[in-house]
Amino acid sequence: MSNEVAILGVGMHPWGKWGRSFVEYGVKAAKDALLDASIEWKDVQFVAGGDTIRNGYPGYVAGATFAQALGWQGAQVASSYGACASGSQAIATARAQILAGLCDVALVVGADTTPKGFFAPTGGGDRSKDPDWLRFRLVGATNPVYFGLWARRRMELFGATEEDFAKVKVKNSHHGAQNPNARYPKTFSMEEVLASPMVSDPLRLLQICATSDGGAALVLTSMEYARKHATDFVTIPAVSNVTPKYPNTLIEMPNFSTDSGAGVQMPDVPFRPSIAKHAYEQAGVGPEDMDLAEVYDLSSALELDWYEIIGLCKEGEAEKLIRDGDTSIGGRIPVNTSGGLGAFGEAIPAQAIAQVCELAWQLRGQAQGRQVEAAQLGITANYGLFGHGSSVIVKR
Amino acid sequence: MTKTRVPAIEGWFTMDPDAPHLLGTRCTRCSNVFFPKEESYCRNPECGGTEFEETKLSRRGRVWSFTNNCYAPPEPFMAKEPFEPYAIAAVELEAEKMIVIGQVTAGTEVGDLEAGMEMELVLDILYEDDENEYIVWKWQPAA
């Protein structure tokens, strides 16, 4: 396939609440990825950084920040911000450089240090033109409020229950307990999840992802370079960073309203399903070809939405998948074998990269304790507020 | 002393106490409606319009979904002490086919709401200081 790039190295700094600089996490992940690839830092030609907006200026220029911390060596650089999709934008940037023939070896890094508690708008002062500031001011619409709206919609439309949502958290906690990079090694029972305090009905504390510190990195190379320097590697045949098509009629962060769906033709595919569709089309594969998936469980209920968005089942059937154990390791199509956000918490610019790390480890047969047998093909999916789609397909 | 009622944000809704409306704009070329107001370039990619007229949005709609805040949101939300949990509804306006979120008035809780329920727009106090009551739109079950 002509649009493939190779993943020669993956690396992570464990997720947690370490309270140190994001730069340290990113550099640790980068060094691990370079070691995994058997590539020297001085041989990297392009650095793509995923930005963090809660760590001052160095966070806005993450690519250069990591390059400086690794030791200036003259590589070209780019930094991307796309909220939760920042990491996959960095992957897309590095991939485009490689596919255009502008470089052979690229390093992708994302890392974050996060504050405690709810994410609040960044920056100070009255910002009455900024929807991200206004949604807190006028409605108190925190991120979990939007997660709660989507979760309740599933209950109203498809008869989802609190138990269904709790099952997702229980599953992901069992997966994450086998992952040394996950923040929470603890396995949770249904009773514990359902006894945790309600935050935004129907979602309880243990069903909403925490904010974490962490870092993830990839060494991407051209296929030609990979064939010369490695014998066994996985590849990326597709990266999707689509935006919605007008009108977008799903209420999403940080908006007060949707577009108006009156008097205009609706898009052929709504925004969320279009994210995976674009990736599948690039790779020339379909959901039936997938062996596993890493999806963005900002809440346990949202994981069920993703089953449908990436085509693992029809709309309204996700509850059956979780009830039947289809998405557990050992099931028909394991989802979030890493433990997902439920076990990691969210380190925004690192997260989409971490999803790819997990698929790489799985496809290389190195996911000790949580291995999906003979996995050949996997998909990641997430999306960031302000309309950022994100999906990456990884292939053995 | 009676406090002055002022909108918490200028130009987003009428201050009519009995029948308030959210205020959006309508593109004079393609008739698409925008809330909050779009006033420079039409966001319909098929259009290209640059002229807008202010339009009152439907006062009523049906619940698309709902949730609540059991804990006080962070600033810039102005939380009362002690914090009182409140519901939030996403309501689909029928004519505009647009979902708008808003707080639900006190007294209506998550258990009282269901998808498809008819809601109407009302004005209520968001927060207050010594001189003013700052007013915002809220959703309330339709009378």
Side-chain angles (χ1 to χ4, degrees), chain A residues 1-37:
Chain A
M1 217 174 298
S2 62
N3 60 354
E4 273 178 282
V5 297
I7 304 175
L8 285 203
V10 296
M12 278 166 83
H13 183 289
W15 264 230
K17 211 72 176 174
W18 312 113
R20 298 197 305 275
S21 164
F22 77 98
V23 184
E24 188 182 323
Y25 315 142
V27 169
K28 195 268 182 193
K31 283 180 180 288
D32 283 4
L34 289 164
L35 196 65
D36 186 40

Side-chain angles (χ1 to χ4, degrees), chain A residues 159-179:
Chain A
T161 63
E162 272 204 69
E163 286 74 20
D164 292 327
F165 303 153
K167 278 196 176 84
V168 173
K169 172 68 179 187
V170 170
K171 167 186 76 76
N172 287 348
S173 76
H174 279 87
H175 291 176
Q178 302 300 321
N179 189 343

Side-chain angles (χ1 to χ4, degrees), chain A residues 118-121 128 133-142 144-146 148-154 156 197-203 246-247 249-251 255-264, chain B residues 8-9 12 32-36 43-45 63-78 86 88-90 95-103 110 113-115 126-127 136-137:
Chain A
F118 282 119
F119 276 135
S128 60
W133 188 89
L134 284 170
R135 64 167 165 135
F136 284 91
R137 177 65 145 213
L138 298 177
V139 181
T142 62
V145 161
Y146 291 85
L149 290 173
W150 300 331
R152 176 61 66 177
R153 182 71 181 166
R154 284 205 76 83
E156 297 286 303
M198 193 68 88
V199 175
S200 282
D201 193 298
L203 297 174
Y246 185 85
T249 53
L250 181 70
I251 187 76
N255 301 334
F256 288 94
S257 66
T258 62
D259 292 332
S260 166
V264 273
Chain B
I9 183 161
W12 281 38
N32 263 260
V33 173
F34 299 95
F35 174 81
R43 295 207 305 264
N44 174 0
V63 171
W64 181 83
S65 191
F66 52 93
T67 182
N68 63 3
N69 267 327
C70 299
Y71 295 90
E75 288 181 354
F77 187 77
M78 310 284 273
Y86 63 91
I88 290 172
E96 293 84 357
K97 295 248 178 306
M98 173 190 282
I99 296 169
V100 180
I101 60 169
Q103 297 189 27
V110 162
L113 294 167
E114 59 178 338
L126 180 65
Y127 63 96
V136 77
W137 78 91

Side-chain angles (χ1 to χ4, degrees), chain A residues 167-220:
Chain A
K167 278 196 176 84
V168 173
K169 172 68 179 187
V170 170
K171 167 186 76 76
N172 287 348
S173 76
H174 279 87
H175 291 176
Q178 302 300 321
N179 189 343
N181 287 309
R183 175 173 170 188
Y184 303 106
K186 178 175 160 51
T187 57
F188 287 96
S189 67
M190 289 290 285
E191 292 69 29
E192 286 170 304
V193 177
L194 293 172
S196 68
M198 193 68 88
V199 175
S200 282
D201 193 298
L203 297 174
R204 295 170 183 278
L205 187 63
L206 287 175
Q207 292 168 320
I208 295 169
C209 97
T211 63
S212 291
D213 296 1
L218 303 170
V219 175
L220 302 182

Side-chain angles (χ1 to χ4, degrees), chain B residues 14-121:
Chain B
T14 65
M15 287 291 281
D16 177 355
D18 298 322
H21 288 266
L22 293 172
L23 289 172
T25 52
R26 182 185 300 277
C27 172
T28 57
R29 191 152 154 188
C30 74
S31 300
N32 263 260
V33 173
F34 299 95
F35 174 81
K37 292 173 181 172
E38 179 58 65
E39 293 173 304
S40 44
Y41 298 97
C42 183
R43 295 207 305 264
N44 174 0
E46 305 291 332
C47 177
T50 55
E51 285 178 21
F52 299 85
E53 56 192 17
E54 188 176 85
T55 183
K56 291 178 177 173
L57 269 51
S58 308
R59 289 196 58 240
R60 290 191 175 208
R62 294 190 180 277
V63 171
W64 181 83
S65 191
F66 52 93
T67 182
N68 63 3
N69 267 327
C70 299
Y71 295 90
E75 288 181 354
F77 187 77
M78 310 284 273
K80 275 191 202 132
E81 295 277 352
F83 176 72
E84 293 162 24
Y86 63 91
I88 290 172
V91 173
E92 185 170 25
L93 309 180
E94 198 158 343
E96 293 84 357
K97 295 248 178 306
M98 173 190 282
I99 296 169
V100 180
I101 60 169
Q103 297 189 27
V104 175
T105 48
T108 300
E109 292 171 16
V110 162
D112 306 320
L113 294 167
E114 59 178 338
M117 223 172 118
E118 192 169 25
M119 304 290 276
E120 69 178 329
L121 195 89

